């Protein structure tokens, strides 16, 4: 994954405590989104390099649970081309890029100018083919992966 990836951890996580105030991924503090002592969801911070390392969960008691070498940061995704760059409802559009899934396994949504604008036809980590929906205007194309990361 990369910055913005939602990471879910399960198991005995609190070490005798009642909550998880801090989680680090490769030494970078992650935002704790949801937590209890058996399940935590955090959002990875930016690391700036491709690397694999530990997730350290710190309970409110100070007890730590370490999961060794379980998270790999990957390069930022990017869109390299969109063809065609204009069209109407029903137009098939090809989006090419790198790491479009943001470390995940698929696309959760694709928006144009903040509006759900496309119906995916085929998807891969480097190529997404979509059909434009009616009522779509001009604007930025944003791909959101199933990890919550956007490109």
């Amino acid at each position: 994954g990369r910055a913005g990836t939602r990471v879910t951890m399960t198991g005995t996580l609190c070490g005798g405590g009642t909550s998880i105030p801090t989680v680090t991924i490769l030494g970078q503090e992650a935002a704790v989104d949801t937590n209890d002592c058996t399940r935590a969801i955090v959002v990875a911070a930016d690391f700036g390099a491709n690397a694999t390392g530990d997730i350290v969960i710190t309970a409110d008691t100070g007890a730590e649970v370490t999961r060794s070498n379980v998270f790999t940061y990957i390069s930022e995704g990017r869109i390299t081309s969109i063809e065609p760059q204009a069209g109407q409802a029903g137009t098939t559009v090809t989006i090419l890029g790198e790491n479009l899934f943001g470390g995940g396994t698929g696309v959760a949504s694709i928006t144009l100018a903040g509006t759900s604008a496309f119906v995916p036809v085929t998807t891969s980590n480097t190529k997404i083919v979509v059909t434009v929906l009616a009522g779509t205007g001009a604007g930025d194309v944003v791909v959101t992966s199933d990890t919550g990361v956007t490109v």
Side-chain angles (χ1 to χ4, degrees):
R2 61 179 206 249
T5 299
R6 294 173 57 81
V7 179
T8 302
M9 296 155 294
T10 58
T12 304
L13 305 175
C14 287
T18 59
S19 68
I20 303 164
T22 307
V23 175
T24 61
I25 301 175
L26 279 74
Q28 303 296 311
E29 189 164 338
V32 179
D33 184 42
T34 303
N35 80 77
D36 62 39
C37 289
T38 59
R39 181 173 180 259
I41 300 173
V42 300
V43 180
D46 188 19
F47 188 69
N50 291 346
T52 298
D54 302 344
I55 295 177
V56 179
I57 303 159
T58 305
D60 55 355
T61 61
E64 291 184 348
V65 174
T66 300
R67 304 284 168 91
S68 298
N69 294 316
V70 294
F71 190 84
T72 300
Y73 276 99
I74 61 170
S75 300
E76 288 287 319
R78 67 186 187 108
I79 294 172
T80 56
S81 71
I82 300 172
E83 293 296 330
Q85 294 185 2
Q88 58 192 14
T91 300
T92 298
V93 176
T94 301
I95 302 166
L96 298 177
E98 300 169 358
N99 294 326
L100 296 175
F101 292 172
T105 58
V107 173
S109 68
I110 302 169
T111 61
L112 175 60
T115 302
S116 182
F118 302 105
V119 175
V121 177
T122 61
T123 61
S124 77
N125 202 30
T126 58
K127 179 179 179 181
I128 298 172
V129 179
V130 296
T131 302
V132 178
L133 298 176
T136 302
D140 292 337
V141 173
V142 178
V143 177
T144 303
S145 76
D146 57 4
T147 65
V149 172
T150 59
V151 176

